[in-house]
Amino acid sequence: MRHEDQKRRGAIKRERAAGRRWQTVRGVEAASIDKRIGDVIRRVRIERGLTLGDVGSAAGISVAMLSRFETAHSSASPLLLARICSALGIDLSTLFREVERTRIAPEFIKSSDNVEVVRRGARHGYSYRLLSRLQRRSFEPFLISIDKRSKAYPRFQHQGMEFVYMLKGRMKYRSENRILLVEPGDALKFSGHIPHGPEKLLDDHVQFIAMIIYAEELQGDRGFSPMHM
C-alpha cells in the first residue's frame, strides 16, 4: 500500500508540474496576443486622429483602462473589444484580421541571396529568381530574365492572378488573344487561367517582376487589366 501511495503522490506531483508549465505557456501566448491587440487598437486610434479620451468616452470605459488595454497591462473581454471597435469605426473581424497580420515578421533578402529556381520556362532559357521564401503560399514573386537566345516562347497557365511589372527591355506579351507592347515601367494583371507569356522580344535582354497571387482567385477576378504607370 505504501508503494502504491508513493506512486500516486508522484503522479499527482508530475501532473501539477505539467499543469504549471502549461499555464506558463498559455500565459506567454495570452500576453503576446494582448500586446498585438493593444498595438492594433493604438495604431487604428492614431490613424483616425482620436485621443484616448475620444475612444474611451465612445466605448464607455475610462482613459486609464483603455490605456491599459493598449499597453497590454490588462486583457479586454470580447464585449469590451466590441465596444472599442465600434468607437474606432471597425468591426471585430477587422481587428482580429489586423492582429493576425502582425504575426508575420518582415522578410529581408539580400540580392546576393536570391535563389534561382526551376520553372517550366527554364528549359527555354528563362531565368527565375525567387524573391521571397515565406512558406505561406498566398503569393510567389519572381525576377524573370529572358534574352534572345531563347528559342521558344511557351504559353503558361496556372491558378491565381498574375501581376507583371517591366524593368528592362521591351517585349510583346500575349494574354489569351491580346498582344501588348510592354516597356519599362508598364504593368499588367490577369488571370493565371488565361494562356499567357512573352510573344516576342524587341530587345536583346528583358527583365521583369512576375508575382503570382493565389489569394486573388478567391475574389472571382478572371479578367485582364493593363496598367500604365
Side-chain angles (χ1 to χ4, degrees):
M1 290 290 294
R2 182 179 300 175
H3 179 66
E4 291 181 358
D5 288 342
Q6 289 176 344
K7 288 178 61 178
R8 188 178 301 110
R9 285 195 293 270
I12 291 173
K13 287 182 180 179
R14 288 192 295 272
E15 288 178 3
R16 287 175 176 173
R20 286 193 295 270
R21 287 194 297 271
W22 172 241
Q23 288 297 329
T24 299
V25 171
R26 290 188 62 189
V28 171
E29 291 178 347
S32 175
I33 292 172
D34 288 341
K35 184 179 186 310
R36 296 202 303 270
I37 289 174
D39 288 345
V40 171
I41 290 173
R42 184 173 186 276
R43 175 171 58 79
V44 174
R45 176 177 64 77
I46 292 174
E47 286 175 351
R48 282 162 168 67
L50 300 172
T51 66
L52 285 167
D54 294 333
V55 177
S57 177
I61 59 177
S62 69
V63 168
M65 181 60 70
L66 179 58
S67 177
R68 290 183 65 83
F69 292 153
E70 287 192 353
T71 55
H73 286 97
S74 292
S75 299
S77 67
L79 179 60
L80 279 177
L81 283 178
R83 283 159 51 184
I84 292 170
C85 286
S86 178
L88 292 171
I90 62 175
D91 53 34
L92 271 174
S93 62
T94 300
L95 172 68
F96 289 127
R97 187 163 56 247
E98 291 299 314
V99 168
E100 180 65 19
R101 286 179 182 172
T102 62
R103 296 184 61 185
I104 304 175
E107 181 187 33
F108 176 69
I109 300 177
K110 296 288 290 183
S111 60
S112 57
D113 295 329
N114 288 338
V115 178
E116 188 162 0
V117 296
V118 177
R119 303 279 290 188
R120 183 181 157 212
R123 75 182 74 167
H124 302 287
Y126 294 21
S127 169
Y128 296 84
R129 290 197 170 272
L130 185 62
L131 301 180
S132 173
R133 299 179 190 175
L134 289 176
Q135 296 301 310
R136 296 177 64 177
R137 195 171 183 267
S138 57
F139 74 101
E140 290 181 318
F142 298 98
L143 177 64
I144 301 178
S145 300
I146 312 173
D147 58 40
K148 282 194 172 179
R149 290 177 295 179
S150 301
K151 296 181 179 180
Y153 300 104
R155 297 290 168 259
F156 301 94
Q157 287 180 277
H158 52 74
Q159 295 180 342
M161 302 295 296
E162 182 164 345
F163 172 82
V164 171
Y165 181 77
M166 200 68 181
L167 298 173
K168 299 177 182 178
R170 300 167 302 144
M171 67 177 175
K172 290 185 177 180
Y173 197 92
R174 176 182 291 273
S175 181
E176 201 166 29
N177 296 322
R178 298 186 63 178
I179 298 178
L180 285 161
L181 170 61
V182 185
E183 301 176 300
D186 291 347
L188 56 145
K189 177 174 73 78
F190 49 86
S191 169
H193 294 276
I194 295 173
H196 60 274
E199 180 75 10
K200 182 181 179 181
L201 267 61
L202 302 179
D203 292 308
D204 291 337
H205 177 81
V206 301
Q207 189 176 66
F208 56 93
I209 290 175
M211 182 179 296
I212 302 173
I213 310 164
Y214 297 102
E216 287 288 330
E217 189 174 36
L218 300 177
Q219 300 180 11
D221 185 355
R222 300 177 62 88
F224 175 88
S225 176
M227 295 171 280
H228 298 283
M229 298 177 150

